[in-house]
């Protein structure tokens, strides 16, 4: 049974989807430039990034924040 979370913009979005969309948008070099973590710098892949982000809450928060800043519909800094 799923609970409604109207104030959570990431509700229902999988971490794999977040990493894939960010990688597609910025590329690995762009991600490494924006978020200084080794899984984006040294031999990056979606699989290795997911493994690291699932074990490292502070890094996951940074990735989720970048995702929201990049793709959130109500982001006042993003031009449509």
């Amino acid at each position: 049974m799923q609970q409604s979370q109207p104030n959570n913009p990431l509700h229902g979005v999988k971490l794999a989807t977040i990493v894939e969309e960010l990688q597609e948008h910025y590329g690995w070099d762009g991600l490494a430039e924006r978020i200084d973590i080794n899984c984006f710098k040294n031999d990056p892949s979606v699989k290795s990034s997911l493994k690291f982000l699932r074990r490292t809450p502070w890094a996951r928060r940074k990735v989720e924040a970048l995702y929201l800043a990049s793709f959130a519909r109500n982001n006042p800094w993003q031009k449509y």
Side-chain angles (χ1 to χ4, degrees), residues 28-67:
W28 292 118
D29 291 335
L31 279 174
E33 195 174 288
R34 286 164 179 80
I35 303 173
D36 188 24
I37 52 179
N38 283 335
C39 69
F40 295 154
K41 293 179 176 183
N42 300 326
D43 196 25
S45 71
V46 172
K47 184 178 178 181
S48 66
S49 298
L50 290 173
K51 184 176 180 181
F52 175 76
L53 293 171
R54 287 183 180 129
R55 294 180 180 181
T56 317
W58 64 265
R60 182 177 181 150
R61 284 191 298 271
K62 287 185 176 193
V63 170
E64 290 173 344
L66 178 61
Y67 179 80

